[in-house]
């Protein structure tokens, strides 16, 4: 099971980090995640760009997903080149040098009871 | 990262705007959104049609998603040719002159705690 | 926009109708829906089979989705050849004589605040 | 409707079993499920691997989905070669000897009102 699985480019059109939350941190902090699975036997060098409604995209953010590992990357934790603003519509494009699989999830804890969404991201066939 | 990503036609079979909600507007107004990502370097001229269970489709609604931008389009905000009725089953087809990526989301705040859904829309391969 | 969009066969591996609910019927009755969009200019004759974990599939259930219409079909409302049991794991296969798009949704109102899921069904490429 | 439907390899990049829950077991136990539909007329011998962020994958877990049956497999119930840890990010790869369809679902009941996610898994085209 060490053959590469997935695609090298993925897009997530929905993006929104709620500006506040309820419940113990970090589990119940309102957040968005790009879950990246690298089932190959090579480390994946991943670049991520954030698109906005009213200004140029920022990026690349860079992260390594080691061979045969998964990384559940919180958009909230991205710092370089700059933090992703909360309460702001965005979208993202993810590019990897080896095929990976990407799934998008949000936990919204603005109200007392949390709400969740998840969908496999859109794979870009080259 | 300015190459076009996605497809020119997308469909969303699920559509329903809850007729009421709880919590501060506009964030907690019950709503549906088509999140559109235009990662290309050309503006996307987007047309949208609404399908119903018991009458002919309406449209096209027209919207521009500028080059290298995302637009999170609320169905609630569509006005021309006519508002999308609430509490009514619908579906939608989205057509763009450049490839885009579309994701569908609903926030349902009819009860005290909001519920969320999201899925990448269905890409129509031409 | 009257060209056919979608596929003729779809599968939904997840299926579960919660056995009870809270809130006014029918909106807050726990339910599952197959949202079917027929964007073509021909009526779609749709057949649906329900698969179980421990007995043979039942079906076909038959429904017509008229040309240029959507139908949000509640599994709860299926009667012929037999009702879909609640509190039971199932899956479904949907077959249409013209291409359609199918999205799967559940509203679970077993607790005071409803929870929602939705995903585009799996399109079977023939 | 006994022809095989689906793919032989699927990936789920998101995985997380909440460490606690509220409400009567087993329905409201926080859990994750891989819903597998085998619409073919041959039994499906399914192998499943779990990927982590910080150690080698474990597996294969083995399960049979009989011909023309669905199995909603709870990750919580996997025991051999070892239980799937809770409160831990993971991902999974599912391999079957006949084509199947896989959908991923989580019920999170950490708070008083449960939250749900679901998405069709990522089909790996061989």
């Amino acid at each position: 099971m060490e053959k590469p699985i997935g695609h090298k480019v993925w897009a997530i059109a929905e993006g929104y980090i709620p500006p506040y939350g309820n419940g113990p941190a970090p589990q119940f902090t309102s957040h968005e995640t790009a879950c990246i699975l690298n089932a190959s036997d090579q480390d994946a060098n991943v670049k991520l760009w954030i698109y906005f409604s009213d200004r140029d995209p920022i990026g690349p953010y860079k992260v390594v997903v080691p061979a045969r590992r998964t990384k559940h990357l919180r958009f909230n934790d991205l710092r370089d080149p700059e933090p992703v603003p909360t309460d702001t519509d965005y979208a993202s494009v993810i590019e990897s040098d080896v095929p990976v699989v990407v799934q998008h999830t949000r936990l919204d804890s603005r109200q007392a009871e949390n709400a969740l969404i998840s969908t496999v991201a859109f794979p870009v066939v080259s």
Side-chain angles (χ1 to χ4, degrees), chain A:
Chain A
M1 289 304 300
E2 296 183 16
K3 60 174 179 272
I5 287 178
H7 292 272
K8 291 186 175 177
V9 183
W10 294 79
I12 304 171
E14 167 72 284
Y16 178 80
I17 302 175
Y20 57 94
N22 287 284
Q27 295 92 325
F28 288 102
T29 305
S30 288
H31 64 269
E32 290 216 314
T33 306
C35 300
I36 305 172
L37 168 62
N38 176 13
S40 80
D41 56 4
Q42 293 177 52
D43 292 355
N45 294 288
V46 174
K47 294 178 185 176
L48 188 148
W49 284 261
I50 304 287
Y51 287 76
F52 297 97
S53 63
D54 55 3
R55 60 167 172 137
D56 281 343
I58 52 175
Y61 298 89
K62 296 180 183 176
V63 62
V64 175
V65 184
R68 308 175 79 211
R69 295 289 184 274
T70 185
K71 190 174 197 83
H72 293 196
L73 182 70
R74 283 196 181 200
F75 287 90
N76 307 43
D77 293 339
L78 297 173
R79 284 291 172 273
D80 180 17
E82 60 180 276
V84 180
T86 62
D87 200 18
T88 302
D89 291 339
Y90 68 91
S92 56
V93 172
I94 294 169
E95 204 176 54
S96 169
D97 59 352
V98 299
V100 294
V101 178
V102 179
Q103 188 168 340
H104 167 237
T105 301
R106 182 194 303 157
L107 184 148
D108 179 345
S109 62
R110 288 176 293 180
Q111 296 182 313
E113 310 300 339
N114 74 89
L116 294 171
I117 57 175
S118 189
T119 184
V120 172
F122 175 75
V124 179
V125 181
S126 53

